[in-house]
Short mmCIF file of all heavy atoms in Angstrom, two decimals:
data_model
loop_
_atom_site.label_atom_id
_atom_site.label_comp_id
_atom_site.label_asym_id
_atom_site.label_seq_id
_atom_site.Cartn_x
_atom_site.Cartn_y
_atom_site.Cartn_z
N GLY A 1 0.80 -1.26 0.05
CA GLY A 1 0.00 0.02 -0.05
C GLY A 1 0.82 1.29 0.00
O GLY A 1 0.36 2.39 -0.17
N HIS A 2 2.05 1.17 0.21
CA HIS A 2 3.09 2.27 0.12
C HIS A 2 2.82 3.09 -1.22
O HIS A 2 3.02 2.54 -2.34
CB HIS A 2 4.52 1.75 0.24
CG HIS A 2 5.50 2.82 0.20
ND1 HIS A 2 6.86 2.56 0.57
CD2 HIS A 2 5.52 4.15 0.01
CE1 HIS A 2 7.62 3.64 0.57
NE2 HIS A 2 6.91 4.60 0.06
N THR A 3 2.40 4.22 -0.96
CA THR A 3 2.08 5.14 -2.06
C THR A 3 2.91 6.43 -2.16
O THR A 3 3.14 6.93 -1.07
CB THR A 3 0.51 5.53 -2.03
OG1 THR A 3 -0.24 4.23 -1.95
CG2 THR A 3 0.14 6.47 -3.19
N LEU A 4 3.23 6.86 -3.32
CA LEU A 4 3.90 8.16 -3.59
C LEU A 4 2.97 9.09 -4.02
O LEU A 4 2.05 8.77 -4.92
CB LEU A 4 5.06 7.94 -4.55
CG LEU A 4 6.13 6.89 -4.11
CD1 LEU A 4 7.03 6.66 -5.28
CD2 LEU A 4 6.92 7.38 -2.96
N VAL A 5 2.98 10.36 -3.52
CA VAL A 5 2.16 11.33 -3.96
C VAL A 5 3.02 12.61 -4.41
O VAL A 5 3.85 13.02 -3.73
CB VAL A 5 1.16 11.96 -2.77
CG1 VAL A 5 0.27 13.08 -3.27
CG2 VAL A 5 0.44 10.72 -2.22
N ILE A 6 2.72 13.04 -5.68
CA ILE A 6 3.62 14.07 -6.32
C ILE A 6 2.77 15.16 -7.01
O ILE A 6 1.63 14.84 -7.36
CB ILE A 6 4.54 13.32 -7.30
CG1 ILE A 6 3.72 12.87 -8.57
CG2 ILE A 6 5.48 12.36 -6.82
CD1 ILE A 6 4.43 12.38 -9.71
N PRO A 7 3.25 16.36 -6.85
CA PRO A 7 2.67 17.41 -7.66
C PRO A 7 3.03 17.18 -9.23
O PRO A 7 4.12 16.62 -9.47
CB PRO A 7 3.34 18.64 -7.22
CG PRO A 7 4.60 18.26 -6.68
CD PRO A 7 4.59 16.76 -6.19
N LYS A 8 2.25 17.53 -10.08
CA LYS A 8 2.58 17.34 -11.43
C LYS A 8 3.58 18.42 -11.97
O LYS A 8 4.31 18.23 -12.88
CB LYS A 8 1.30 17.42 -12.33
CG LYS A 8 0.40 16.19 -12.14
CD LYS A 8 -0.72 16.20 -13.04
CE LYS A 8 -1.43 14.90 -13.00
NZ LYS A 8 -2.68 14.90 -13.81
N LYS A 9 3.64 19.56 -11.09
CA LYS A 9 4.67 20.55 -11.41
C LYS A 9 5.99 20.03 -11.09
O LYS A 9 6.10 19.59 -9.77
CB LYS A 9 4.26 21.94 -10.64
CG LYS A 9 5.32 22.98 -11.07
CD LYS A 9 4.71 24.24 -10.28
CE LYS A 9 5.57 25.30 -10.69
NZ LYS A 9 5.25 26.64 -10.23
N GLU A 10 6.94 20.19 -11.74
CA GLU A 10 8.24 19.50 -11.44
C GLU A 10 9.19 20.51 -10.65
O GLU A 10 9.70 21.36 -11.22
CB GLU A 10 8.96 19.17 -12.79
CG GLU A 10 10.01 18.05 -12.59
CD GLU A 10 10.37 17.41 -13.83
OE1 GLU A 10 9.82 17.76 -14.99
OE2 GLU A 10 11.32 16.60 -13.78
N ILE A 11 9.16 20.21 -9.38
CA ILE A 11 9.91 20.96 -8.42
C ILE A 11 10.76 19.91 -7.68
O ILE A 11 10.12 19.01 -7.09
CB ILE A 11 9.20 21.95 -7.42
CG1 ILE A 11 8.35 22.87 -8.19
CG2 ILE A 11 9.91 22.49 -6.41
CD1 ILE A 11 9.04 24.10 -8.74
N ASP A 12 12.06 20.09 -7.43
CA ASP A 12 12.78 19.12 -6.72
C ASP A 12 12.50 19.11 -5.20
O ASP A 12 12.18 18.10 -4.68
CB ASP A 12 14.32 19.37 -6.92
CG ASP A 12 15.18 18.44 -6.28
OD1 ASP A 12 14.77 17.37 -5.64
OD2 ASP A 12 16.46 18.79 -6.17
N TYR A 13 12.59 20.19 -4.55
CA TYR A 13 12.63 20.31 -3.12
C TYR A 13 11.25 20.70 -2.75
O TYR A 13 10.67 21.81 -3.06
CB TYR A 13 13.60 21.36 -2.56
CG TYR A 13 13.79 21.49 -1.22
CD1 TYR A 13 13.87 20.41 -0.35
CD2 TYR A 13 14.03 22.61 -0.54
CE1 TYR A 13 14.09 20.45 1.11
CE2 TYR A 13 14.09 22.81 0.82
CZ TYR A 13 14.17 21.63 1.66
OH TYR A 13 14.32 21.79 2.91
N ILE A 14 10.58 20.04 -1.80
CA ILE A 14 9.20 20.15 -1.50
C ILE A 14 8.97 21.54 -0.77
O ILE A 14 7.90 22.16 -1.02
CB ILE A 14 8.63 19.01 -0.54
CG1 ILE A 14 7.09 19.10 -0.34
CG2 ILE A 14 9.29 19.20 0.96
CD1 ILE A 14 6.55 17.75 0.12
N PHE A 15 9.91 22.15 -0.11
CA PHE A 15 9.74 23.42 0.54
C PHE A 15 9.96 24.56 -0.57
O PHE A 15 9.86 25.70 -0.13
CB PHE A 15 10.57 23.55 1.70
CG PHE A 15 10.16 22.70 2.93
CD1 PHE A 15 10.98 21.85 3.41
CD2 PHE A 15 8.94 22.77 3.38
CE1 PHE A 15 10.55 20.86 4.48
CE2 PHE A 15 8.37 21.96 4.49
CZ PHE A 15 9.30 21.00 4.91
N ASP A 16 10.35 24.18 -1.84
CA ASP A 16 10.34 25.28 -2.77
C ASP A 16 8.93 25.35 -3.53
O ASP A 16 8.88 26.28 -4.38
CB ASP A 16 11.46 24.94 -3.84
CG ASP A 16 12.84 25.12 -3.32
OD1 ASP A 16 12.94 25.90 -2.36
OD2 ASP A 16 13.82 24.52 -3.90
N LEU A 17 8.16 24.55 -3.27
CA LEU A 17 6.71 24.66 -3.89
C LEU A 17 6.02 25.90 -3.38
O LEU A 17 6.23 26.27 -2.24
CB LEU A 17 5.76 23.48 -3.42
CG LEU A 17 6.15 22.00 -4.01
CD1 LEU A 17 5.37 21.02 -3.27
CD2 LEU A 17 5.99 22.03 -5.36
N GLU A 18 5.22 26.46 -4.30
CA GLU A 18 4.49 27.61 -3.89
C GLU A 18 3.47 27.20 -2.71
O GLU A 18 3.17 26.02 -2.66
CB GLU A 18 3.63 28.19 -5.04
CG GLU A 18 4.50 28.81 -6.16
CD GLU A 18 4.52 27.91 -7.41
OE1 GLU A 18 3.83 26.96 -7.51
OE2 GLU A 18 5.33 28.25 -8.32
N ASP A 19 3.16 28.14 -1.87
CA ASP A 19 2.34 27.83 -0.75
C ASP A 19 1.02 27.11 -1.06
O ASP A 19 0.57 26.22 -0.42
CB ASP A 19 2.04 28.98 0.14
CG ASP A 19 3.27 29.60 0.77
OD1 ASP A 19 4.23 28.89 0.78
OD2 ASP A 19 3.16 30.79 1.30
N ASP A 20 0.38 27.60 -2.19
CA ASP A 20 -0.93 26.96 -2.52
C ASP A 20 -0.75 25.46 -3.01
O ASP A 20 -1.48 24.56 -2.65
CB ASP A 20 -1.70 27.84 -3.47
CG ASP A 20 -0.95 28.02 -4.84
OD1 ASP A 20 0.24 27.98 -4.84
OD2 ASP A 20 -1.57 28.16 -5.85
N ILE A 21 0.32 25.27 -3.80
CA ILE A 21 0.54 23.93 -4.24
C ILE A 21 0.98 22.99 -3.03
O ILE A 21 0.62 21.77 -2.97
CB ILE A 21 1.60 23.92 -5.33
CG1 ILE A 21 1.18 24.77 -6.62
CG2 ILE A 21 2.06 22.42 -5.73
CD1 ILE A 21 -0.03 24.11 -7.29
N PHE A 22 1.81 23.52 -2.23
CA PHE A 22 2.19 22.78 -1.00
C PHE A 22 1.02 22.41 -0.18
O PHE A 22 1.00 21.20 0.29
CB PHE A 22 3.22 23.74 -0.15
CG PHE A 22 3.72 23.00 1.12
CD1 PHE A 22 4.84 22.19 1.03
CD2 PHE A 22 3.10 23.28 2.29
CE1 PHE A 22 5.34 21.61 2.17
CE2 PHE A 22 3.52 22.70 3.52
CZ PHE A 22 4.71 21.82 3.41
N SER A 23 0.16 23.36 0.03
CA SER A 23 -1.07 23.04 0.93
C SER A 23 -1.98 22.01 0.15
O SER A 23 -2.37 21.03 0.75
CB SER A 23 -1.85 24.34 1.14
OG SER A 23 -1.10 25.19 1.99
N GLU A 24 -2.26 22.21 -1.11
CA GLU A 24 -3.08 21.40 -1.89
C GLU A 24 -2.37 19.89 -2.01
O GLU A 24 -3.18 18.89 -1.91
CB GLU A 24 -3.34 21.90 -3.23
CG GLU A 24 -4.13 23.06 -3.22
CD GLU A 24 -4.30 23.86 -4.61
OE1 GLU A 24 -4.02 23.15 -5.63
OE2 GLU A 24 -4.53 25.05 -4.59
N LEU A 25 -1.09 19.82 -2.12
CA LEU A 25 -0.37 18.55 -2.04
C LEU A 25 -0.82 17.78 -0.82
O LEU A 25 -1.03 16.58 -0.79
CB LEU A 25 1.03 18.76 -2.26
CG LEU A 25 1.88 17.41 -2.14
CD1 LEU A 25 1.66 16.51 -3.25
CD2 LEU A 25 3.41 17.74 -2.16
N HIS A 26 -0.66 18.32 0.35
CA HIS A 26 -1.07 17.73 1.54
C HIS A 26 -2.56 17.39 1.69
O HIS A 26 -2.80 16.30 2.25
CB HIS A 26 -0.62 18.60 2.84
CG HIS A 26 0.96 18.61 2.94
ND1 HIS A 26 1.76 19.27 2.12
CD2 HIS A 26 1.69 17.84 3.77
CE1 HIS A 26 3.02 18.96 2.56
NE2 HIS A 26 3.00 18.14 3.59
N LEU A 27 -3.46 18.27 1.24
CA LEU A 27 -4.90 17.90 1.21
C LEU A 27 -5.11 16.72 0.31
O LEU A 27 -5.89 15.85 0.64
CB LEU A 27 -5.68 19.13 0.83
CG LEU A 27 -5.64 20.24 1.89
CD1 LEU A 27 -6.37 21.48 1.32
CD2 LEU A 27 -6.23 19.73 3.24
N PHE A 28 -4.49 16.71 -0.83
CA PHE A 28 -4.49 15.62 -1.79
C PHE A 28 -4.07 14.26 -0.99
O PHE A 28 -4.72 13.20 -1.13
CB PHE A 28 -3.85 15.85 -3.01
CG PHE A 28 -4.03 14.82 -4.07
CD1 PHE A 28 -5.19 14.81 -4.97
CD2 PHE A 28 -3.09 13.78 -4.26
CE1 PHE A 28 -5.37 13.92 -5.92
CE2 PHE A 28 -3.26 12.85 -5.30
CZ PHE A 28 -4.40 12.91 -6.13
N SER A 29 -2.96 14.44 -0.35
CA SER A 29 -2.37 13.24 0.46
C SER A 29 -3.35 12.77 1.37
O SER A 29 -3.35 11.54 1.71
CB SER A 29 -0.96 13.65 0.93
OG SER A 29 -0.15 13.96 -0.05
N LYS A 30 -4.05 13.63 2.09
CA LYS A 30 -5.00 13.14 3.07
C LYS A 30 -6.04 12.39 2.53
O LYS A 30 -6.51 11.35 3.11
CB LYS A 30 -5.50 14.53 3.75
CG LYS A 30 -6.45 14.33 4.82
CD LYS A 30 -7.00 15.54 5.48
CE LYS A 30 -7.95 15.27 6.49
NZ LYS A 30 -8.44 16.57 7.15
N LYS A 31 -6.50 12.78 1.35
CA LYS A 31 -7.61 11.96 0.79
C LYS A 31 -7.12 10.61 0.37
O LYS A 31 -7.86 9.57 0.64
CB LYS A 31 -8.18 12.68 -0.59
CG LYS A 31 -8.85 13.81 -0.31
CD LYS A 31 -9.29 14.61 -1.71
CE LYS A 31 -9.82 15.89 -1.37
NZ LYS A 31 -10.01 16.69 -2.70
N VAL A 32 -5.91 10.45 -0.14
CA VAL A 32 -5.33 9.27 -0.46
C VAL A 32 -5.15 8.31 0.80
O VAL A 32 -5.31 7.23 0.84
CB VAL A 32 -3.97 9.35 -1.23
CG1 VAL A 32 -3.29 8.04 -1.39
CG2 VAL A 32 -4.25 10.18 -2.71
N ALA A 33 -4.55 8.99 1.87
CA ALA A 33 -4.24 8.33 3.20
C ALA A 33 -5.61 7.69 3.74
O ALA A 33 -5.63 6.59 4.16
CB ALA A 33 -3.76 9.28 4.17
N LYS A 34 -6.75 8.36 3.55
CA LYS A 34 -8.06 7.75 4.00
C LYS A 34 -8.43 6.51 3.36
O LYS A 34 -8.94 5.62 3.94
CB LYS A 34 -9.12 8.88 3.90
CG LYS A 34 -8.94 9.94 4.87
CD LYS A 34 -10.06 10.99 4.87
CE LYS A 34 -9.87 12.13 5.89
NZ LYS A 34 -10.57 11.90 7.08
N LYS A 35 -8.14 6.39 2.01
CA LYS A 35 -8.31 5.28 1.25
C LYS A 35 -7.34 4.12 1.73
O LYS A 35 -7.75 3.04 1.75
CB LYS A 35 -8.15 5.49 -0.25
CG LYS A 35 -9.18 6.36 -0.96
CD LYS A 35 -9.06 6.48 -2.42
CE LYS A 35 -10.22 6.84 -3.17
NZ LYS A 35 -10.14 6.60 -4.55
N LEU A 36 -6.12 4.55 1.81
CA LEU A 36 -5.04 3.49 2.21
C LEU A 36 -5.52 2.83 3.52
O LEU A 36 -5.33 1.62 3.64
CB LEU A 36 -3.78 4.13 2.39
CG LEU A 36 -3.09 4.67 1.05
CD1 LEU A 36 -1.71 5.17 1.39
CD2 LEU A 36 -2.97 3.38 0.10
N ILE A 37 -5.87 3.59 4.52
CA ILE A 37 -6.11 3.02 5.90
C ILE A 37 -7.34 2.11 5.76
O ILE A 37 -7.41 0.99 6.60
CB ILE A 37 -6.25 4.08 6.92
CG1 ILE A 37 -5.99 3.47 8.28
CG2 ILE A 37 -7.70 4.74 6.93
CD1 ILE A 37 -5.43 4.48 9.30
N LYS A 38 -8.31 2.33 4.88
CA LYS A 38 -9.44 1.39 4.60
C LYS A 38 -8.98 0.16 4.00
O LYS A 38 -9.41 -1.08 4.23
CB LYS A 38 -10.56 2.11 3.73
CG LYS A 38 -11.23 3.06 4.68
CD LYS A 38 -12.37 3.85 3.74
CE LYS A 38 -13.17 4.81 4.63
NZ LYS A 38 -14.05 5.57 3.71
N ALA A 39 -8.10 0.33 2.99
CA ALA A 39 -7.64 -0.83 2.09
C ALA A 39 -6.58 -1.69 2.91
O ALA A 39 -6.63 -2.96 2.67
CB ALA A 39 -7.00 -0.27 0.90
#
């Protein structure tokens, strides 16, 4: 179930992401995590 979550925008370092993309990446990850814990 180990899953990788990535932005489609190609940025190497996570803390170089724009704030909105950084926040949205974590919210997207949260949705995926909820599926993982059920599966």
Side-chain angles (χ1 to χ4, degrees):
H2 182 165
T3 299
L4 300 170
V5 184
I6 63 173
K8 290 184 176 178
K9 183 174 184 174
E10 204 164 357
I11 300 285
D12 178 14
Y13 186 46
I14 197 164
F15 292 121
D16 287 339
L17 290 170
E18 292 108 11
D19 289 349
D20 60 333
I21 299 294
F22 180 86
S23 298
E24 290 171 24
L25 174 64
H26 284 80
L27 290 171
F28 185 83
S29 296
K30 181 179 177 180
K31 290 177 190 174
V32 174
K34 287 180 183 267
K35 286 184 166 199
L36 289 178
I37 205 160
K38 286 180 184 174

